Amino acid sequence: EEYDYMSESVILKVKEEVSEKEKLAVKKKKEKNESQPRSHSTIREEALATPLPSSNIGFKLLQQMGYKEGEGLGKQKEGITNPLDVLVKRNRLGLGVDDEIGPQMKFAKTKSNSTVLVPDDTIKAYQSYQRDRFRESKTNGQLKASVAICLTLDSAKDITDNPLLPSQFLPKDETAVEELDRPILEATPLSLEEKEESLNDIIMYLRAEH
């Protein structure tokens, strides 16, 4: 006789097993959470929410000077009635620094590996400078390689004058310069945008011509 895996009894048994496993998983999770040490913030909040007991030394001193719970401090009882608020310092800024200035300041590493506090916009400006520097270095390498490939392919087709090639990226050796029909003049250095535009023009030329 074949075993019926879809029978009511089998399905009920599987559901009970799944239910037991889920209960066991919840129990283990609860035990794990209870066994974990409480965070500093939780302990601090609980301590601040608990009033000072009458056995506290500071509270006893206040009582000896005439203080009664619920009254204000001072001779005329016009002082504060609640303890001073505890403000937890979550940054490394000095005491007295305006909270509005804080978010605008960040820590940065110097060459000597020491930590200094500098304005956030200064860090962003330096990061932007580093990105542009990397971008220009990459563009220079690609442009130099593209010019060399273009000269080689043009030479194979007897094309000796290509106005797309920027003069500052043409070969400097005399033999290669002599092969060009146009003179090599000292040009104004190209900007990064001009280099990228020139690189794009050369790539389009290579795809169309070669």
Side-chain angles (χ1 to χ4, degrees):
E1 185 179 351
E2 292 185 1
Y3 187 76
D4 187 6
Y5 290 97
M6 298 303 293
S7 66
E8 238 180 87
S9 59
V10 173
I11 293 173
L12 186 62
K13 187 179 179 181
V14 171
K15 284 184 178 179
E16 287 175 355
E17 289 178 357
V18 171
S19 179
E20 286 297 322
K21 286 181 180 179
E22 288 177 349
K23 288 179 182 177
L24 185 62
V26 170
K27 185 180 178 182
K28 284 184 177 180
K29 187 176 180 180
K30 186 178 179 181
E31 290 175 352
K32 184 179 178 182
N33 291 337
E34 289 175 352
S35 64
Q36 287 179 347
R38 294 181 300 165
S39 63
H40 290 292
S41 59
T42 304
I43 296 171
R44 181 175 59 249
E45 292 300 328
E46 289 178 359
L48 292 174
T50 305
L52 289 176
S54 57
S55 59
N56 182 273
I57 296 176
F59 191 76
K60 285 182 178 180
L61 289 172
L62 285 172
Q63 285 180 322
Q64 289 174 10
M65 291 185 284
Y67 172 75
K68 292 180 181 178
E69 192 171 356
E71 292 182 349
L73 296 179
K75 187 176 180 181
Q76 305 299 328
K77 314 294 184 184
E78 296 176 354
I80 60 174
T81 56
N82 296 320
L84 294 172
D85 292 330
V86 176
L87 299 177
V88 181
K89 194 166 180 57
R90 302 185 184 277
N91 54 46
R92 297 173 62 188
L93 299 175
L95 293 174
V97 175
D98 193 344
D99 290 339
E100 294 181 0
I101 298 176
Q104 301 173 13
M105 305 291 283
K106 285 188 179 179
F107 288 92
K109 290 281 186 181
T110 62
K111 288 184 178 180
S112 59
N113 208 30
S114 59
T115 305
V116 294
L117 190 63
V118 295
D120 188 26
D121 53 355
T122 302
I123 295 178
K124 288 180 179 177
Y126 177 73
Q127 290 172 341
S128 176
Y129 163 75
Q130 288 289 71
R131 282 194 296 268
D132 288 345
R133 188 178 175 188
F134 172 77
R135 183 174 146 205
E136 184 162 18
S137 175
K138 184 179 178 181
T139 303
N140 285 343
Q142 292 175 337
L143 195 51
K144 187 175 180 180
S146 298
V147 168
I149 292 170
C150 196
L151 284 173
T152 303
L153 295 176
D154 283 353
S155 178
K157 287 189 175 183
D158 293 328
I159 301 174
T160 56
D161 188 15
N162 190 337
L164 292 177
L165 305 183
S167 58
Q168 65 184 87
F169 285 91
L170 290 172
K172 301 298 181 183
D173 55 296
E174 292 181 2
T175 55
V177 171
E178 286 174 357
E179 293 175 0
L180 298 172
D181 289 343
R182 59 191 173 94
I184 304 300
L185 303 175
E186 289 296 327
T188 305
L190 300 175
S191 65
L192 177 57
E193 289 72 19
E194 289 172 332
K195 289 177 183 178
E196 289 176 335
E197 186 179 348
S198 178
L199 175 62
N200 185 60
D201 290 342
I202 293 172
I203 291 172
M204 296 298 291
Y205 167 76
L206 288 171
R207 287 175 178 171
E209 188 69 28
H210 300 291

